[in-house]
Amino acid sequence: MTKPLLIADGLTKRYGAVTACDKVSFSLDEGEVLAIVGESGSGKSTLLNMLACRLAPDMGEVRYRMRDAETRNLAGLSEAERRLLMRTDWGFVHQDAAQGLRMNVSAGGNIGERLMAVGGRNYGGIRQAAADWLSRVEIDTARMDHKPTTYSGGMRQRLQIARNLVTSPRLVFMDEPTGGLDVSVQARLLDLIRGLVADMGLAVVLVTHDLAVARLLSHRILVMKNGHVIETGLTDRVLDDPQAPYTQLLVSSVLAA
Amino acid sequence: MIPPAGPILAVRGLAKSFTLHLHGGAQLPVVTGVSFELFPGECVVLGGPSGAGKSSILKMIYGNYLAGAGEILIRHEGAPVNIAAADPQTILAVRRRTMGYVSQFLRVIPRVPTLDLIAEPALAVGLSRAEAMARATALLTLVNLPERLWHLPPSTFSGGEQQRVNIARGFAGNHNFLILDEPTASLDAANRDAVISLINARKADGAAFLGIFHDQDVRDRLADRIIDVSTFAPAAKKAA
């Protein structure tokens, strides 16, 4: 058995009297997709930001198995080490693509920038990699030199995914990746994400309030409410046979289309 | 190929009761003391009236419902795994390699072409893209799905066509143990025959099947044994 890729150990965050996240612990294996679900204010985004080193926990720690197979406490990394990790081995897909892209840089530049950040210097090679990734996320390479401002919402999201995956990360954090998109665009994006995750063997921590998205993409679910983990388990088990009162409420509140 | 000796599935003292927290914590007992074994090359059918808990038993075995008590031992890669107590990662590994499930309804990601849907379980067990596609093509031919539909997503297909896509997908992983929850419910006679031959061919290869079939004719042609689930009714349910 290989060791877990990511371990959250007692992660706690308070904002004044409000506990946004209370002693959350779990581990994630390589290639595993974990969905964190719950309504707004449940603490799921706070948890995601602590996991991804974007927010310091008040208590607890995150440990990660680095590419050299050593598991390290992320709080103990130097700023340079952490930046390298975020640029190479990790990805972060924001709900609002504008947060994850440079809107006044061309699509090709957006992808190439991540390669240059890890030492890519060959212009032709970088441009080729950018073109390959654009076609992989189903964007016409003729649009390569256009800025994302000229892209539709769905295209921007696909570009953001390409930018994140070009360095072949092992772990990607996703914050409502299909939120705010038209339903038709959502289905296509979900299928794309699912294919890429399977092909690349990515581990994913996915935050979503959409249980259908969690069902389609994730292996495991963590249900959160008021900063606490209410229930966790195999995705279809949690959704089809929820045990906790809150999970039963959540599942039964979804309108069947 | 699995060795013929020993059960591939052993269920012991399995029980299930639902707690409806949104309805004052009402208890809904479903089954208790469910015990039986399933051997390679065998097709066992769960019988009993609607509401007896047949589907719930299948879902517990698949890990889709949480077992209230008891053991569900599945021979997975030579060693027994207790699904009732296994962690999610283990259950997923068993589902990938050993245990498949064909439900009554097709539930897939929208807008994915049929061929890709069928190839997916084959890819998951490590077949190459070409091998997976060849297997998908062979299965769709066996279940008589017209070739003009293969490259279309199944959402607009008829009930019977969707069910055949579902069956082909269920068989694509080449599992040693398949759970069948009414897979022939909306098929016409010719297509029912095709599915029965498919099941019998896999049985001859040593695969084991556990299923629910309401159709008397299908049941007679497939079942080696029938287990009457109403004998597992909890006392509270018998009284009611």
Side-chain angles (χ1 to χ4, degrees), chain B residues 15-79:
Chain B
K16 179 72 188 170
S17 170
F18 290 104
T19 306
L20 309 179
H21 291 290
L22 305 183
H23 300 276
Q27 290 288 323
L28 212 63
V30 184
V31 286
T32 187
V34 182
S35 299
F36 65 91
E37 292 182 335
L38 176 71
F39 290 83
E42 200 183 25
C43 179
V44 168
V45 171
L46 299 183
S50 163
K54 301 185 292 292
S55 270
S56 293
I57 293 174
L58 295 187
K59 286 173 177 170
M60 281 190 280
I61 293 169
Y62 196 60
N64 178 231
Y65 280 4
L66 196 67
E71 282 187 325
I72 300 160
L73 299 169
I74 289 178
R75 182 143 51 93
H76 169 65
E77 295 179 338

Side-chain angles (χ1 to χ4, degrees), chain A residues 184 194 236 240-241 248, chain B residues 16 64 66 95 111 120:
Chain A
S184 59
R194 217 163 85 122
D236 61 280
D240 293 339
D241 188 17
Q248 291 190 357
Chain B
K16 179 72 188 170
N64 178 231
L66 196 67
R95 287 182 181 181
R111 303 179 64 179
E120 195 188 314

Side-chain angles (χ1 to χ4, degrees), chain A residues 29 32 184 187-188 190-191 194 215-216 219-220 233-234 236-237 240-241 243-245 248-249 252, chain B residues 16 18-22 62-66 88-89 91-92 95 107-112 120 169:
Chain A
D29 286 349
E32 198 180 16
S184 59
R188 193 161 152 219
L190 279 174
D191 182 37
R194 217 163 85 122
R215 188 189 282 277
L216 287 175
H219 302 124
R220 264 197 304 149
L234 194 63
D236 61 280
R237 204 282 295 154
D240 293 339
D241 188 17
Q243 302 296 306
Q248 291 190 357
L249 176 68
S252 66
Chain B
K16 179 72 188 170
F18 290 104
T19 306
L20 309 179
H21 291 290
L22 305 183
Y62 196 60
N64 178 231
Y65 280 4
L66 196 67
Q89 290 94 334
I91 295 177
L92 288 173
R95 287 182 181 181
R107 191 178 205 169
V108 290
I109 203 160
R111 303 179 64 179
V112 179
E120 195 188 314
R169 184 171 151 90

Side-chain angles (χ1 to χ4, degrees), chain A residues 92-106:
Chain A
F92 197 108
V93 176
H94 299 264
Q95 172 174 4
D96 177 9
Q99 274 187 55
L101 293 171
R102 301 229 289 163
M103 297 303 279
N104 49 8
V105 171
S106 72

Side-chain angles (χ1 to χ4, degrees), chain A residues 23-193:
Chain A
K23 298 196 261 315
V24 175
S25 299
F26 66 87
S27 72
L28 183 76
D29 286 349
E30 217 156 310
E32 198 180 16
V33 181
L34 174 77
I36 303 171
V37 304
E39 55 203 27
S40 29
S42 61
K44 53 190 197 301
S45 293
T46 300
L47 175 60
L48 188 74
N49 286 327
M50 285 193 286
L51 293 171
C53 280
R54 300 163 62 86
L55 181 70
D58 294 336
M59 279 194 301
E61 61 182 43
V62 181
R63 294 189 292 274
Y64 183 72
R65 183 157 50 81
M66 312 290 279
R67 285 196 180 187
D68 62 7
E70 191 190 341
T71 298
R72 297 187 55 186
N73 179 352
L74 295 180
L77 296 186
S78 70
E79 193 49 44
E81 283 175 315
R82 197 175 312 165
R83 235 186 351 250
L84 185 68
L85 185 70
M86 289 168 131
R87 279 178 183 166
T88 55
D89 218 19
W90 286 7
F92 197 108
V93 176
H94 299 264
Q95 172 174 4
D96 177 9
Q99 274 187 55
L101 293 171
R102 301 229 289 163
M103 297 303 279
N104 49 8
V105 171
S106 72
N110 263 286
I111 300 176
E113 189 184 50
R114 238 181 90 116
L115 283 176
M116 286 192 281
V118 295
R121 287 292 174 268
N122 176 321
Y123 177 79
I126 289 173
R127 199 167 161 82
Q128 186 55 50
D132 289 347
W133 265 101
L134 283 178
S135 24
R136 232 171 137 174
V137 297
E138 298 159 22
I139 294 174
D140 185 353
T141 46
R143 301 289 307 270
M144 179 151 146
D145 297 317
H146 298 183
K147 291 178 184 173
T149 42
T150 66
Y151 280 19
S152 69
M155 282 170 77
R156 285 180 193 182
Q157 204 53 296
R158 280 179 275 137
L159 177 61
Q160 191 190 185
I161 288 166
R163 175 178 160 100
N164 272 283
L165 298 188
V166 68
T167 57
S168 299
R170 290 187 301 162
L171 172 63
V172 178
F173 301 98
M174 297 187 182
D175 190 2
E176 305 275 8
T178 60
L181 297 174
D182 289 344
V183 185
S184 59
V185 177
Q186 262 190 36
R188 193 161 152 219
L189 187 66
L190 279 174
D191 182 37
L192 178 78
I193 293 176

